[in-house]
Amino acid sequence: MPRLIIEGGHPLRGETEALGAKNAVLPIMAAAILCSGDVLLERVPDISDVRVMAGILTELGVEVEFLGGGRLRLNADRLANTRAPYELVRRMNASFDVAGPLLARFGECEVALPGGCNLGQRRVNLHLDAFRALGAEVHREHGMVKAQATRLRGTSIYFPKVSVGATKNATMAASLAEGETVLENAACEPEIVDLARFLQACGARVEGAGTPRIRVEGVRELRGASHAVTSDRIVTGTILCMTALSGGEVTVRNSPPEHLEAVLGELRKAGQEVRVQGNDVTLSARRPVRSLEVTTAPFPGFPTDLHPPLVALLVLGDGVSMLHETIFDGRFMYVGELVRLGANIRVSDHTAVINGVRFLAGAPVEASDIRAGGALIAAALAAEGETSIGGLEFIDRGYENVHTRLASLGARIRRVE
Ligand code: EPZ
């Protein structure tokens, strides 16, 4: 199995370009199902989740063509079937994003229930409630969700819990429904805004994306359009934490700071110098790292996906820090691996209590999910000696060519197959 080998103690210096957001491009690829004619996407990151989604769409009969340079062409005019099988869906929870588009455009879908992942159970009850509210017959059997509707009808949907996935699926389904749909308590993440921008470019009538109230006026048809995917705020935030841990200074270009307010605020509170110039964000590492108390929350709160990289930084804090996770139960598997590098962390009741230590020492560790991988790489940059990181199948899902990017910033890092 491939591993990353990192020799710590070398500060990251220089600048790097933000890449397209994984959590925006995946629903937008699924939304291509809604459209007739070609969809052309730019700034598509070269990550394995994009290839998994491309595989699912191909299985459905969507034409998918990687044009190089982050450009991707999709065409759903000859969609062959509306069934997304378990062996594909099980690899990535975002596969469920195809359900709403299939139901809205073809009146039916059969999609495997996402199982669990290392973050815990990944439920889709809010997605199914939204489909039923839009008039679909939905039932579950043998691990598959089957839904059908002659034509979806607009309605009002209140989400009892904020859900990025359910907000995406409901918005996509409502875009071809008859009449108006209002989504209340919708997720406000920038990736929802980017999906709405894409849908609008294709002729959808979507207002209010980015706020808790989204209004969709259904139309008869959507026509494929071009779209440049928004920047990945989670990758940018991870690089900033890596920079702080490494003791360096890095500028991430083309990364809208308004997507990262909570994160930049906490990094400043941790004593790091953060400067913003237009869409370029620069972090200059400072010592001591001040300890923090942080709680994760839906956007604009502190994002759960930056919980592990921030904890990696707080490991070197000047006191006791607390990180309270409110979104995913299983998000703490990375803690044991940080402890192997010398961290002093206790987890109880969805809260990590971090007692700052003076230094970390390299060791072999394993990533258990995408963002755990980001945290372990960050810690390895600060650890004395060599750290070897396994679980690259997770890291490759969300971080494009992380070793070449970090090496270009001065890290001593190599990938051994
Ligand atoms: C998206 O997952 C992201 N994935 C996650 O990023 C991110 O952590 C999460 O949003 C929160 O921001 C993609 O966009 C592909 P949710 P999603 O629906 O849509 C519960 C990464 O590393 N819930 O907002 O699955 C759910 O169990 C990944 O890039 C229900 O109970 O997140 C969770 O506790 C990890 N019923 C909470 O809501 C439902 O029907 C938030 O889930 C749906 C969700």
Side-chain angles (χ1 to χ4, degrees), residues 22-23 122-126 163-165 305 327-328 371:
K22 168 176 87 79
N23 294 349
R122 301 298 290 268
R123 300 186 62 201
V124 290
N125 58 306
L126 300 174
S163 161
V164 171
D305 290 344
I327 310 283
F328 288 115
R371 310 306 169 185

Side-chain angles (χ1 to χ4, degrees), residues 275-352:
R275 295 187 308 281
V276 168
Q277 178 102 25
N279 281 342
D280 300 342
V281 181
T282 302
L283 183 138
S284 306
R286 294 285 179 268
R287 292 293 184 270
V289 173
R290 299 269 181 240
S291 48
L292 299 175
E293 292 207 21
V294 179
T295 298
T296 62
F299 194 86
F302 190 88
T304 175
D305 290 344
L306 284 172
H307 150 185
L310 182 71
V311 167
L313 176 60
L314 297 174
V315 160
L316 295 181
D318 64 350
V320 180
S321 297
M322 312 262 282
L323 192 302
H324 184 51
E325 171 61 51
T326 64
I327 310 283
F328 288 115
D329 305 343
R331 186 121 244 183
F332 291 97
M333 288 175 74
Y334 71 93
V335 168
E337 300 303 300
L338 286 181
V339 168
R340 285 180 50 73
L341 297 176
N344 179 341
I345 310 175
R346 243 180 338 97
V347 178
S348 68
D349 187 29
H350 301 121
T351 298

Side-chain angles (χ1 to χ4, degrees), residues 144-379:
M144 299 296 285
V145 170
K146 292 187 177 177
Q148 60 268 337
T150 39
R151 186 164 185 221
L152 297 176
R153 282 185 315 283
T155 184
S156 273
I157 297 171
Y158 167 75
F159 292 112
K161 180 173 187 176
V162 173
S163 161
V164 171
T167 301
K168 295 187 293 191
N169 249 326
T171 302
M172 292 189 282
S175 63
L176 289 182
E178 190 164 357
E180 177 183 80
T181 296
V182 177
L183 305 181
E184 295 284 3
N185 199 28
C188 303
E189 270 67 4
E191 293 77 28
I192 306 274
V193 176
D194 205 42
L195 171 61
R197 279 210 195 102
F198 168 70
L199 291 171
Q200 287 162 340
C202 299
R205 315 245 300 267
V206 184
E207 313 285 327
T211 76
R213 191 169 193 277
I214 298 177
R215 210 175 60 74
V216 183
E217 184 65 43
V219 294
R220 291 295 302 180
E221 184 192 29
L222 294 180
R223 295 210 49 80
S226 299
H227 181 77
V229 179
T230 191
S231 291
D232 195 316
R233 62 196 168 100
I234 305 301
V235 170
T236 296
T238 306
I239 291 170
L240 297 180
C241 292
M242 290 171 171
T243 303
L245 267 155
S246 75
E249 176 176 280
V250 169
T251 297
V252 182
R253 297 211 172 286
N254 194 10
S255 189
E258 63 272 16
H259 293 175
L260 284 163
E261 291 305 345
V263 178
L264 302 184
E266 294 300 343
L267 288 170
R268 286 182 174 122
K269 268 197 274 183
Q272 305 310 297
E273 188 186 319
V274 177
R275 295 187 308 281
V276 168
Q277 178 102 25
N279 281 342
D280 300 342
V281 181
T282 302
L283 183 138
S284 306
R286 294 285 179 268
R287 292 293 184 270
V289 173
R290 299 269 181 240
S291 48
L292 299 175
E293 292 207 21
V294 179
T295 298
T296 62
F299 194 86
F302 190 88
T304 175
D305 290 344
L306 284 172
H307 150 185
L310 182 71
V311 167
L313 176 60
L314 297 174
V315 160
L316 295 181
D318 64 350
V320 180
S321 297
M322 312 262 282
L323 192 302
H324 184 51
E325 171 61 51
T326 64
I327 310 283
F328 288 115
D329 305 343
R331 186 121 244 183
F332 291 97
M333 288 175 74
Y334 71 93
V335 168
E337 300 303 300
L338 286 181
V339 168
R340 285 180 50 73
L341 297 176
N344 179 341
I345 310 175
R346 243 180 338 97
V347 178
S348 68
D349 187 29
H350 301 121
T351 298
V353 180
I354 305 116
N355 280 277
V357 295
R358 297 189 57 70
F359 67 92
L360 293 171
V365 289
E366 289 297 312
S368 51
D369 67 69
I370 305 172
R371 310 306 169 185
L376 293 174
I377 294 170

Side-chain angles (χ1 to χ4, degrees), residues 94-163:
S95 316
F96 205 73
D97 288 357
V98 304
L102 287 170
L103 182 58
R105 178 144 187 231
F106 300 100
E108 62 175 19
C109 71
E110 191 177 340
V111 183
L113 269 175
C117 71
N118 288 333
L119 297 181
Q121 190 187 1
R122 301 298 290 268
R123 300 186 62 201
V124 290
N125 58 306
L126 300 174
H127 303 235
L128 306 187
D129 292 346
F131 296 158
R132 290 190 183 97
L134 288 164
E137 286 289 313
V138 181
H139 61 280
R140 300 165 25 159
E141 59 186 34
H142 307 303
M144 299 296 285
V145 170
K146 292 187 177 177
Q148 60 268 337
T150 39
R151 186 164 185 221
L152 297 176
R153 282 185 315 283
T155 184
S156 273
I157 297 171
Y158 167 75
F159 292 112
K161 180 173 187 176
V162 173
S163 161

